[in-house]
């Protein structure tokens, strides 16, 4: 495994991991989750989950990957044994399932770029109706998500240095620039203040148990934790690097983009008289309004540019998701890399089709199951099982693994490389404490309560 090709530099790893973290989770999912869960109170819980739990788990994941120099299954097997390896396999399955629906949404973003720049999206009168028709249009969805998966595959074929790093380094800074510009504009709109208040002034009466598990699921999803993507990326990072500070930068980048996305979306939603709790369509309905307001060729360019950047942010995330099963088949099954990438990409694209049909195109997939008192689509089910429940569960199992099998002193030794004095530093004490005592308890409890609440006895098909 000495020849495992790694990132060329520290900035390369940070850019790639931040590229993985920053994506649709920040700009599409975070605003609609916040909108559905009462605004500022959700924001606060999400920040707490990210900083108190997410960050230490991220350090643990990267450390495990670097120690083992392997994919998630290989990592748990080498550092633990075959039984612990099952955690890695679960993570690989979750990567496949999450990528299957993520790719569909990435296709929407890509399609919006095309329709704004070259089509008539911005002359519409009702963006909500437009979105509804758009997601139910199977032909367009198939094409855009197929193209998106193909681009992902091309980059993953080129491997870590060639593709993943280069794409991330270039485009991340651009995303900040356009976000800041749009926020400045959005805040001048009428009623923008109401949106800011909804987003930043907490109303704790809106808190309930659902807020907590949604916030935890969102924190894990957004940081790319819980299924081994960062084990995989960690396996490519040099032993000379400081994993703790790298993880801190990635966490900061991720949180800041999510925070800024909220600061853009809610003023828009309120200035356009929409409701913040409309679900997955939120940003696709709210954002075109601002570009229409800018108007003319400027509106087209800025609007097209925004969705293009969103698609690129999604691309650096789909890359990291596809890399998970690919590294497994290449490492463990000795498949040739190129063939593995194309087989996986094709299979995952097909697996995404039921999710694609979940927003009105097919009644069967749109009202696929019944739980929590309502009909849920296939898309909802996958999101709940593999993201909201699965990722924190993955974090729970990782921390059990570190606490009982790998042992924190061994993890600390790995972290001392690149961070001499880790064990006695404040950061080291904090991270080890959270991983061994806080995480198993908190994440275990959340897992149990969530499963009980969502599925206890009531999972009917039809
Ligand atoms: N974090 C990405 C986003 O916010 C999605 C993602 C990429 C992901 N890789 C992951 C989520 C691994 C969980 C695990 O858009």
């Amino acid at each position: 495994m000495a020849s495992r090709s790694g990132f060329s530099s520290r900035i390369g790893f940070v850019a790639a991991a931040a590229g993985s973290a920053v994506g649709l989770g920040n700009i599409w999912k975070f605003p609609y989750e916040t909108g559905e869960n009462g605004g500022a109170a959700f924001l606060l819980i999400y920040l707490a989950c990210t900083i108190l739990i997410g960050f230490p788990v991220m350090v643990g994941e990267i450390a495990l990957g670097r120690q083992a120099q392997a994919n998630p299954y290989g990592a748990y097997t080498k550092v633990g044994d075959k039984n612990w390896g099952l955690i890695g396999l679960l993570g690989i399955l979750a990567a496949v399932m999450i990528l299957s629906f993520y790719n569909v949404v990435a296709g929407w973003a890509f399609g919006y770029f095309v329709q704004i720049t070259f089509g008539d999206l911005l002359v519409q009168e009702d963006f909500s109706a437009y979105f509804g028709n758009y997601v139910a249009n199977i032909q367009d969805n198939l094409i855009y998500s197929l193209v998106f998966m193909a681009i992902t595959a091309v980059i993953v074929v080129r491997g870590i240095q060639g593709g993943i790093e280069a794409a991330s380094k270039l485009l991340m800074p651009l995303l900040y620039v356009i976000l800041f510009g749009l926020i400045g504009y959005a805040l001048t709109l009428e009623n923008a203040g109401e949106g800011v208040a909804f987003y930043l002034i907490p109303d704790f009466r809106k808190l309930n148990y659902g807020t907590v598990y949604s916030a935890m699921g969102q924190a894990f999803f957004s940081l790319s934790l819980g299924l081994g993507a960062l084990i995989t990326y960690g396996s490519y990072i040099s032993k000379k690097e400081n994993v703790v500070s790298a993880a801190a930068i990635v966490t900061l980048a991720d949180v800041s983009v999510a925070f800024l996305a909220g600061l853009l979306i809610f003023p828009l939603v309120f200035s356009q008289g929409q409701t913040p709790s409309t679900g997955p369509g939120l940003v696709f309905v709210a954002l075109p309004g601002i570009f229409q307001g800018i108007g003319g060729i400027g509106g087209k360019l800025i609007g097209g540019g925004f969705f293009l950047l969103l698609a690129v942010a999604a691309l650096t995330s789909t890359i990291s998701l596809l890399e998970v099963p690919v590294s497994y088949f290449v490492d463990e099954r000795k498949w040739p890399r190129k063939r593995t990438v194309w087989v996986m990409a094709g299979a995952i694209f097909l697996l995404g089709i039921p999710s694609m049909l979940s927003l009105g195109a097919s009644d069967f997939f749109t009202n696929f199951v019944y739980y929590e008192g309502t009909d849920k689509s296939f898309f909802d089910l996958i999101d709940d099982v593999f993201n909201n429940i699965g990722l924190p569960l993955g974090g729970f199992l990782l921390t059990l693994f570190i606490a009982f099998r790998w042992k924190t002193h061994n993890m600390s030794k790995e972290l001392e490389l690149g961070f001499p004095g880790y064990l006695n530093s404040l950061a080291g004490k904090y991270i080890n404490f959270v991983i061994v005592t806080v995480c198993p308890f908190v994440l275990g409890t959340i897992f149990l309560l969530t499963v009980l609440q969502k599925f206890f006895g009531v999972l009917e098909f039809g």
Side-chain angles (χ1 to χ4, degrees):
M1 208 60 74
S3 65
R4 198 172 182 86
S5 75
F7 291 106
S8 62
S9 61
R10 167 185 181 74
I11 183 83
F13 171 80
V14 170
S20 163
V22 174
L24 296 168
N26 307 61
I27 293 171
W28 161 70
K29 202 165 207 295
F30 171 74
Y32 90 70
E33 294 275 356
T34 306
E36 280 181 336
N37 287 287
F42 179 84
L43 172 65
L44 274 183
I45 308 263
Y46 157 77
L47 288 175
C49 291
T50 301
I51 293 160
L52 299 178
I53 307 265
F55 167 66
V57 170
M58 182 184 286
V59 171
E61 244 192 60
I62 300 173
L64 175 58
R66 192 174 68 169
Q67 156 88 39
Q69 297 283 302
N71 66 88
Y73 171 78
Y76 280 106
T77 313
K78 271 197 211 168
V79 179
D81 56 46
K82 277 238 153 60
N83 293 330
W84 288 102
L86 283 178
I87 303 176
L89 288 183
L90 275 180
I92 294 163
L93 175 68
V96 166
M97 297 311 293
I98 287 179
L99 179 54
S100 79
F101 79 75
Y102 197 95
N103 184 58
V104 172
V105 182
W108 299 347
F110 188 59
Y112 264 51
F113 154 66
V114 175
Q115 296 304 333
I116 287 177
T117 315
F118 307 106
D120 60 357
L121 201 155
L122 289 185
V123 300
Q124 303 296 318
E125 276 168 12
D126 184 344
F127 293 122
S128 176
Y130 185 88
F131 177 75
N133 290 330
Y134 184 80
V135 291
N137 178 339
I138 275 314
Q139 245 170 12
D140 280 9
N141 270 293
L142 276 174
I143 292 169
Y144 289 126
S145 65
L146 184 65
V147 169
F148 206 86
M149 187 60 92
I151 298 173
T152 305
V154 168
I155 297 179
V156 175
V157 164
R158 294 182 56 195
I160 286 295
Q161 281 193 22
I164 301 178
E165 258 190 73
S168 307
K169 263 193 237 175
L170 196 70
L171 295 149
M172 290 278 301
L174 217 56
L175 190 65
Y176 280 98
V177 173
I178 195 163
L179 271 176
F180 274 115
L182 290 176
I183 290 169
Y185 182 82
L187 290 179
T188 65
L189 298 173
E190 209 180 325
N191 289 333
E194 275 178 52
V196 177
F198 173 81
Y199 187 46
L200 297 180
I201 302 175
D203 174 357
F204 289 106
R205 281 166 307 179
K206 289 183 184 156
L207 275 187
N208 55 40
Y209 179 67
T211 321
V212 177
Y213 75 67
S214 300
M216 190 63 85
Q218 176 59 23
F220 272 73
F221 182 77
S222 190
L223 292 169
S224 298
L225 295 179
L227 55 74
L230 292 177
I231 295 179
T232 310
Y233 273 20
S235 76
Y236 302 120
I237 192 177
S238 146
K239 295 275 185 192
K240 290 198 285 279
E241 302 307 343
N242 181 337
V243 168
V244 177
S245 69
I249 297 172
V250 173
T251 304
L252 218 75
D254 187 60
V255 171
S256 61
V257 174
F259 179 77
L260 292 174
L263 205 52
L264 169 61
I265 301 297
F266 292 110
L268 282 182
V269 166
F270 281 81
S271 79
Q272 295 166 9
Q274 298 158 353
T275 42
S277 58
T278 46
L282 187 68
V283 302
F284 291 96
V285 175
L287 276 171
I290 190 174
F291 306 127
Q292 192 177 52
I294 296 169
I297 202 83
K300 268 190 180 244
L301 284 179
I302 298 173
F306 181 88
F307 279 102
L308 183 61
L309 275 179
L310 179 57
V312 173
L315 184 63
T316 52
S317 302
T318 53
I319 288 167
S320 76
L321 284 163
L322 185 57
E323 181 69 23
V324 172
V326 166
S327 69
Y328 167 74
F329 284 103
V330 171
D331 284 359
E332 306 295 326
R333 304 291 173 99
K334 307 291 176 238
W335 288 14
R337 183 170 179 94
K338 196 169 173 185
R339 189 185 79 192
T340 313
V341 170
W342 287 106
V343 169
M344 283 292 124
I348 294 169
F349 165 73
L350 294 177
L351 264 176
I353 290 177
S355 291
M356 203 181 288
L357 297 170
S358 286
L359 290 111
S362 140
D363 200 45
F364 177 73
F365 288 116
T366 305
N367 302 308
F368 189 64
V369 284
Y370 180 91
Y371 60 87
E372 280 188 313
T374 44
D375 280 336
K376 302 265 190 171
S377 67
F378 181 84
F379 185 115
D380 294 329
L381 180 68
I382 299 289
D383 185 32
D384 262 339
V385 171
F386 291 98
N387 169 17
N388 290 326
I389 298 176
L391 297 179
L393 172 66
F396 170 65
L397 296 171
L398 172 79
T399 56
L400 286 188
F401 176 75
I402 294 172
F404 295 109
R405 178 69 207 223
W406 191 19
K407 307 283 191 218
T408 37
H409 65 267
N410 289 319
M411 181 184 75
S412 302
K413 256 189 241 150
E414 177 62 39
L415 290 167
E416 292 265 346
L417 307 172
F419 184 175
Y422 168 80
L423 197 51
N424 291 314
S425 70
L426 197 63
K429 289 195 176 114
Y430 171 72
I431 291 165
N432 287 4
F433 170 75
V434 171
I435 288 183
V436 184
T437 35
V438 180
C439 286
F441 177 71
V442 171
L443 293 174
T445 310
I446 287 186
F447 170 71
L448 264 180
L449 291 180
T450 304
V451 171
L452 286 179
Q453 150 144 1
K454 275 191 191 284
F455 299 122
F456 194 61
V458 275
L459 193 60
E460 294 162 16
F461 289 82

